[in-house]
Amino acid sequence: MTNPAHAGRMLFLNIPVADLERSKAFFAKLAFGFDPKFTDETAACMLVGEQAFVMLLSREKFAEFAKLPMADPTTPTLALYCFSVSSRDEVDAVSAAALAAGGSEADGPEDYGFMYSRSFFDLDGHGWQVMWMDPAAEQGPEAFSASTQDTENPA
């Protein structure tokens, strides 16, 4: 990274959902948990990472925050939400859980060797991508090239 991460910053992504309880049940089947301190009958704070959260908001609650009209997530794409998991197998497991819970497949597997992903739409039509990236690729091109040369040309 060219700029260091900002210590103490947290990410809260707010998305509207038609039925909060149904959405919570969907994401619970994908192994997401919720912070009860920030969850009530109008909102649920879904834990994504140590400093990253998705606020599932009833449409009414979302409208209180939004300054523009609410978009229909099933029409033109405004955003895609991507989260990482720890293995290729977990990508497939989370994607299978999303489909079993009522989501729909957005894209088949995408395999770039160092990165593997699948995409699905949640119950409200929001697009999600679950991905795994080889830890060596996160170190930059030189480290990734060295690690793949070691596996491709063992001594």
Side-chain angles (χ1 to χ4, degrees), residues 61-86:
K61 186 69 164 182
F62 186 86
E64 291 176 20
F65 295 110
K67 303 299 181 218
L68 299 173
M70 195 176 322
D72 178 353
T74 64
T75 58
T77 302
L78 178 61
L80 296 172
Y81 310 111
C82 180
F83 61 94
S84 65
V85 294
S86 61

Side-chain angles (χ1 to χ4, degrees), residues 1-151:
M1 287 188 191
T2 56
N3 294 320
H6 297 274
R9 279 198 182 173
M10 301 164 67
L11 174 67
F12 289 89
L13 177 68
N14 299 291
I15 64 172
V17 298
D19 183 328
L20 183 59
E21 290 305 315
R22 184 179 76 145
S23 291
K24 284 172 50 181
F26 174 84
F27 285 106
K29 290 177 183 172
L30 279 59
F32 285 103
F34 297 90
D35 185 340
K37 294 187 304 267
F38 301 104
T39 298
D40 62 21
E41 65 280 350
T42 65
C45 181
M46 187 168 77
L47 309 170
V48 177
E50 289 183 36
Q51 301 292 322
F53 312 89
V54 172
M55 295 297 298
L56 303 174
L57 303 175
S58 69
R59 292 181 172 276
E60 297 77 21
K61 186 69 164 182
F62 186 86
E64 291 176 20
F65 295 110
K67 303 299 181 218
L68 299 173
M70 195 176 322
D72 178 353
T74 64
T75 58
T77 302
L78 178 61
L80 296 172
Y81 310 111
C82 180
F83 61 94
S84 65
V85 294
S86 61
S87 70
R88 297 168 70 91
D89 288 341
E90 192 175 358
V91 168
D92 290 332
V94 170
S95 296
L99 300 180
S104 59
E105 188 169 50
D107 229 345
E110 295 184 32
D111 192 344
Y112 299 100
F114 71 96
M115 184 172 68
Y116 177 69
S117 67
R118 296 185 74 156
S119 301
F120 62 89
F121 294 108
D122 68 17
L123 302 176
D124 289 282
H126 299 288
W128 293 84
Q129 182 179 53
V130 55
M131 58 86 71
W132 165 84
M133 184 182 299
D134 185 319
E138 295 175 23
Q139 303 301 315
E142 296 81 19
F144 181 69
S145 295
S147 73
T148 56
Q149 287 174 359
D150 291 343
T151 58

